[in-house]
Amino acid sequence: MVLPGGGALVAPVEKACGVKAITIGKPEPFLYQMALADLGVAANDCVMVGDRPDTDILGAQRLGLQTALVRTGRFSVDEPWPAEQARPHWDVIDLQQLLLAWT
């Protein structure tokens, strides 16, 4: 069974209110921009560590953050990288392997 995400409810609310919604969830840039502003750092000085190419990695890449995919979550070790998406700076099995790659 496939259930629609929260986005399925956005259009009716926009129509009823006459206001365009601001999407905060990944891969939209707003969440990342808020974090960068709160931290007072530039995008290229940060690394987004995530477990999903289509949300975590893509969203961060759009703003110029360095990216690290850890294959401990929804994107498993044996899954091939999506051909249509740019690869992350690091593609590792877990956080321990990522830390070893940085040293």
Side-chain angles (χ1 to χ4, degrees), residues 23-30 32 53-60 62:
T23 304
I24 295 176
K26 299 176 287 186
E28 299 301 322
F30 190 65
Y32 297 98
D54 59 335
T55 55
D56 302 329
I57 304 304
L58 178 61
R62 287 178 176 169

Side-chain angles (χ1 to χ4, degrees), residues 13-64:
V13 173
E14 286 179 335
K15 185 73 169 173
C17 296
V19 177
K20 178 78 174 145
I22 297 172
T23 304
I24 295 176
K26 299 176 287 186
E28 299 301 322
F30 190 65
L31 181 67
Y32 297 98
Q33 292 166 332
M34 286 175 36
L36 293 170
D38 284 350
L39 294 170
V41 295
N44 61 349
D45 290 331
C46 295
V47 176
M48 169 58 180
V49 179
D51 67 350
R52 290 190 58 168
D54 59 335
T55 55
D56 302 329
I57 304 304
L58 178 61
Q61 287 174 337
R62 287 178 176 169
L63 286 177

Side-chain angles (χ1 to χ4, degrees), residues 74-87:
R74 300 183 90 190
F75 196 72
S76 67
V77 174
D78 58 341
E79 286 186 66
W81 189 258
E84 69 280 359
Q85 188 172 330
R87 296 189 68 81

